[in-house]
Amino acid sequence: MAGIVKQDLIDFENEIAELFRAGKIRAPVHLRSGCEEQLIDIFKDIQAEDWVYGYWAMHIHCLLKGVPREQLKQAILEGHSISLCFPEQRIYCSGIVGSLAGVAMGTAWGLKRQKKSGNVYLFTGDMGAECGVFHEAVKYAHNFDLPIKFIVEDNGVSVMTDTRKTWGSDKPWFKDTVYEKNILYYKYQNSWPHSGLGQRIAF
Amino acid sequence: MKYFDELKRTMEWAAKKPEVVFMGQAVGVPGTFMFNTLKEVSENQRVELPVSESFQMQMTVGAAFSGYTPISIFPRLNFLMLAMGDLCNIVDKLPDIYGAKPPKMIIRSAVGPDAPVHPGHQHIGDFTDAYRKIFNNIEVVRLDEPKDIFPAYEEALSPDNQKSYLMIEVGNYYGSK
């Protein structure tokens, strides 16, 4: 989205944090930081006609896909942060890990088969990228050369569970495989807790 | 018409709609009792998929988003259970979490036949009532009689209808009704 800079994204998350702290949002919010520059760079390639799928921490992605700031804020105030959806901007999210990998791949399959324009982008965390259905979606997309890019945003943990430690591996499964070219991978350090602000909120 | 003939006629009628695509295992090649209902459908509309029920269910939703009306085939309700998370948490919840209409898609499944050969207890489950209790938005349609089949698909595929359906056949009826 042209015109959005790193500070805009930081300011938005800070504003949502204050609304949450004030008890104005009666639903989970998953704030993110430390990934602004990477996402600004990634979204330079994502066009209005493209489809974006992701999970529960997608405020920044929505802004960069072109969702108007106030519209996004209103959706969060109404309790939709965990599964934001803006069909006009072609962005769909889910609060269930792994649940959209095949959906995104299926969209790409349908676009290619019908000779429709547009690309698909699936954003997932490091734990989601280890799920079986993610592996299957990447494999199918790779083998059938589908118009989809998988973006793995690695902050090292799933909630507070260490992804690498629990899988017993020091690197993602796709590293040094033929599937790596289908995946855009970056690491970041999130300064927010997984969910909320890490403190009790009085409603 | 008999049960099998009605199913076959209905699939061939549905296949005349260019947006309809049939997806699943034993859709493009023989392998299950359902295949013969599709054998006259053009190969281009039959997409043989690898066996992974969750993957197939998610792919079906994505295909619907892209503009297709998928008829996604899970030959036995026992197999469909492996896609239950996606069916319950994505397909059924889309209208609730997104405030949008459900994806236009049909899941075609069956109570597996137990005659003339009993395939074992992992292949003959009938979970129709359970599905009806679990779903809020998916229309569960039990196809008990030959006369039920065509009208159910006709309604599901009508242009002004935007719903997700689970159509449940009964395998034993293929040779008995």
Side-chain angles (χ1 to χ4, degrees):
Chain A
M1 185 67 181
I4 292 183
V5 298
K6 178 179 177 180
Q7 193 59 45
D8 296 329
L9 303 172
I10 294 170
D11 290 346
F12 185 83
E13 291 291 64
N14 286 338
E15 183 179 350
I16 298 302
E18 288 312 309
L19 289 166
F20 189 79
R21 195 187 316 275
K24 304 287 187 190
I25 304 170
R26 295 191 171 224
V29 293
H30 299 80
L31 304 168
R32 290 295 178 266
S33 65
C35 52
E36 299 88 356
E37 289 176 359
Q38 296 94 322
L39 287 173
I40 287 170
D41 195 44
I42 290 166
F43 270 86
K44 284 177 184 170
D45 291 332
I46 300 177
Q47 307 299 316
E49 68 171 355
D50 293 337
W51 299 68
V52 167
Y53 291 95
Y55 294 97
W56 45 84
M58 291 287 284
H59 300 170
I60 292 173
H61 310 68
C62 287
L63 289 170
L64 291 169
K65 186 65 171 71
V67 178
R69 192 182 195 283
E70 288 307 307
Q71 188 182 350
L72 175 60
K73 181 178 156 185
Q74 186 59 36
I76 295 166
L77 284 167
E78 291 171 4
H80 302 306
S81 173
I82 200 167
S83 53
L84 291 163
C85 169
F86 299 96
E88 188 180 340
Q89 286 82 18
R90 292 189 168 174
I91 184 163
Y92 293 86
C93 309
S94 166
I96 302 285
V97 67
S99 59
L100 294 178
V103 175
M105 189 284 302
T107 305
W109 172 84
L111 293 178
K112 182 175 182 179
R113 202 165 189 269
Q114 294 169 97
K115 297 183 171 56
K116 291 182 176 179
S117 61
N119 292 295
V120 181
Y121 296 83
L122 173 83
F123 292 82
T124 185
D126 40 294
M127 188 68 94
E130 300 294 329
C131 288
V133 72
F134 179 82
H135 185 281
E136 291 165 353
V138 171
K139 181 166 58 176
Y140 199 91
H142 172 86
N143 292 344
F144 288 95
D145 193 24
L146 301 183
I148 182 170
K149 182 69 87 176
F150 299 88
I151 299 102
V152 177
E153 306 174 279
D154 185 350
N155 69 346
V157 291
S158 170
V159 187
M160 296 175 73
T161 300
D162 186 312
T163 301
R164 300 287 149 247
K165 188 175 178 183
T166 50
W167 276 105
S169 171
D170 60 1
K171 62 183 181 181
W173 67 268
F174 50 82
K175 280 288 180 189
D176 306 319
T177 72
V178 294
Y179 306 113
E180 199 168 3
K181 71 173 188 178
N182 300 81
I183 297 168
L184 202 162
Y185 172 82
Y186 75 89
K187 283 188 171 185
Y188 74 105
Q189 184 76 42
N190 183 27
S191 64
W192 300 103
H194 164 73
S195 177
L197 303 175
Q199 64 187 75
R200 288 182 64 129
I201 305 297
F203 291 105
Chain B
M1 258 189 186
K2 293 195 167 184
Y3 196 85
F4 169 82
D5 297 324
E6 271 295 332
L7 280 169
K8 185 168 181 291
R9 167 177 93 94
T10 301
M11 294 306 121
E12 289 164 9
W13 169 82
K16 290 177 182 166
K17 298 176 180 293
E19 71 275 18
V20 167
V21 62
F22 298 87
M23 309 167 71
Q25 188 198 13
V27 166
V29 298
T32 75
F33 58 94
M34 286 186 176
F35 173 77
N36 283 338
T37 67
L38 297 172
K39 65 182 182 183
E40 303 298 332
V41 172
S42 78
E43 286 185 20
N44 187 48
Q45 275 178 287
R46 290 185 279 135
V47 181
E48 185 76 7
L49 292 182
V51 183
S52 177
E53 287 80 1
S54 176
F55 170 82
Q56 180 182 333
M57 187 64 73
Q58 291 190 19
M59 183 177 179
T60 301
V61 175
F65 279 171
S66 79
Y68 277 121
T69 301
I71 298 180
S72 195
I73 296 179
F74 300 77
R76 299 172 191 268
L77 288 178
N78 297 80
F79 304 166
L80 185 62
M81 291 295 276
L82 293 164
M84 195 60 193
D86 307 285
L87 203 51
C88 183
N89 287 321
I90 297 295
V91 180
D92 189 56
K93 297 300 178 290
L94 279 168
D96 294 332
I97 62 178
Y98 295 157
K101 291 181 177 176
K104 186 166 184 167
M105 54 186 274
I106 295 173
I107 304 303
R108 187 180 162 200
S109 191
V111 181
D114 61 3
V117 174
H118 195 296
H121 292 285
Q122 294 167 311
H123 292 71
I124 59 169
D126 184 353
F127 311 122
T128 306
D129 291 342
Y131 284 127
R132 284 190 171 132
K133 286 181 180 174
I134 286 172
F135 300 143
N136 295 324
N137 296 299
I138 297 171
E139 296 278 339
V140 179
V141 180
R142 172 88 171 203
L143 301 171
D144 277 317
E145 300 295 336
K147 66 179 174 54
D148 298 338
I149 295 168
F150 186 82
Y153 277 86
E154 189 177 42
E155 180 184 330
L157 294 174
S158 67
D160 56 348
N161 189 5
Q162 180 82 29
K163 290 181 183 173
S164 305
Y165 285 83
L166 169 57
M167 303 282 193
I168 299 176
E169 302 165 18
V170 181
N172 279 344
Y173 296 164
Y174 272 55
S176 67
K177 279 198 177 184

